[in-house]
Amino acid sequence: MSHLPQLILLDLDGTLYIGNQPIPGAIAALAQLRERGIALRFITNTTTKSQDELVAQLRVMGFQLHADELISAAVAATLELRNLQQQAARPLRIWPLVADAIKTDFTEFIWDEKKPDYIVLGDIGDRWDLHLINRLFNVMHSGAELIALHKGRFWQTSEGLKADIGFFVAGLEYVSSKTARIMGKPNRDFYRLVLDSTKVKAENALMVGDDIDSDVGGAQLIGIKGCLVKTGKFRQVYFEQSDIKPDYVIGSVAELLTAIA
């Protein structure tokens, strides 16, 4: 990059921290970026915590940020539902199958598990079972559309890699012959939403994350450069097999300024 980006988009879990532990050097690295006048946006597919909880979690770990600098997939879904409701010219009925922590994000809509217009699907942990899958299938077969807060394949935990909700989203798409609306990364509209919030053009932005598919690949789809960090879910074999070519590959976010300067 011949000049520093005006905007840097940062993934959270696996990029800035793992569990409740900041990646070594991450806090200082972000402070250096701010000193250079670079705008920051924290973007995440995490759907088990509300926006306020995520901001508080980052601050407790020592990161400095304003609440409006964090944009989550749940926020994007709320905006999308408002647009759909406006187009429908009537109140929308939704089934918010999401973590309890973010259910309050959807209280402006009518909740209906029997005949919803849209199922809003997020992370629900161990609540998945065959009975629930069949309920969802039948509701979709009767006309409901699916909004997925993201379609992640897997994620890094303190206990190792775990399959993500993309497993269930893809399965529901297959059995219903429908295509879900994906709200979080790598959705193009999600990245455009972030760019619009800053008035920065794609070519002047950089995405930094540990997921070569949704972080780097998703950003590159709309012209944002992508930087892959070798922390979190990064796996060398998966990286080598991918068709996606990051603009930068660094050991961790601590090396970011050195790499792009």
Side-chain angles (χ1 to χ4, degrees):
M1 191 173 290
S2 58
H3 60 279
L4 289 174
Q6 297 174 15
L7 168 68
I8 292 180
L9 288 62
L10 295 145
D11 173 55
L12 299 186
D13 203 350
T15 301
L16 296 182
Y17 59 84
I18 295 176
N20 288 312
Q21 294 298 317
I23 297 291
I27 294 170
L30 299 196
Q32 292 171 346
L33 296 173
R34 290 195 188 277
E35 288 172 4
R36 295 293 189 100
I38 299 172
L40 304 180
R41 286 295 181 274
F42 302 83
I43 65 176
T44 181
N45 282 350
T46 299
T47 62
T48 55
K49 295 179 181 177
S50 68
Q51 178 138 342
D52 288 345
E53 287 175 321
L54 286 167
V55 171
Q57 179 186 11
L58 283 165
R59 288 174 175 166
V60 165
M61 284 189 279
F63 293 98
Q64 303 295 318
L65 75 156
H66 297 292
D68 60 3
E69 290 180 322
L70 191 149
I71 300 176
S72 69
V75 170
T78 300
L79 295 172
E80 177 73 2
L81 284 165
R82 286 175 187 165
N83 289 335
L84 291 168
Q85 186 164 262
Q86 189 173 21
Q87 292 169 20
R90 63 173 177 80
L92 285 185
R93 310 182 82 84
I94 70 167
W95 179 359
L97 194 61
V98 297
D100 291 341
I102 66 168
K103 282 186 175 179
T104 53
D105 290 347
F106 301 100
T107 51
E108 64 189 88
F109 307 101
I110 299 169
W111 293 10
D112 184 348
E113 295 184 10
K114 294 184 177 179
K115 291 186 177 180
D117 298 300
Y118 293 94
I119 299 163
V120 181
L121 186 60
D123 295 290
I124 58 170
D126 296 332
R127 287 158 56 193
W128 285 105
D129 59 34
L130 193 56
H131 175 68
L132 175 60
I133 291 169
N134 278 316
R135 284 181 64 201
L136 290 167
F137 163 68
N138 279 285
V139 166
M140 291 179 69
H141 192 65
S142 298
E145 299 295 330
L146 180 62
I147 292 177
L149 297 189
H150 66 85
K151 199 178 180 180
R153 293 177 174 174
F154 55 89
W155 60 298
Q156 177 71 41
T157 74
S158 57
E159 302 168 355
L161 294 178
K162 289 189 176 181
D164 215 333
I165 66 167
F167 177 91
F168 298 100
V169 175
L172 289 167
E173 287 179 319
Y174 178 71
V175 297
S176 68
S177 298
K178 291 185 174 184
T179 301
R181 294 172 182 257
I182 311 298
M183 293 295 103
K185 302 172 292 180
N187 183 274
R188 294 168 184 248
D189 292 335
F190 184 68
Y191 281 104
R192 289 196 183 97
L193 179 72
V194 178
L195 291 176
D196 289 347
S197 76
T198 63
K199 309 301 182 186
V200 173
K201 294 181 179 178
E203 59 266 28
N204 295 320
L206 173 69
M207 175 68 209
V208 183
D210 65 327
D211 188 321
I212 194 168
D213 299 310
S214 66
D215 293 333
V216 175
Q220 288 179 336
L221 282 175
I222 68 165
I224 299 173
K225 289 184 172 64
C227 176
L228 183 67
V229 294
K230 293 184 176 183
T231 54
K233 68 172 66 172
F234 175 86
R235 294 294 185 274
Q236 186 69 31
V237 172
Y238 192 81
F239 166 59
E240 291 173 356
Q241 293 174 343
S242 177
D243 292 331
I244 297 168
K245 304 301 178 188
D247 296 277
Y248 303 94
V249 180
I250 58 178
S252 80
V253 70
E255 303 169 13
L256 181 57
L257 188 56
T258 301
I260 65 176

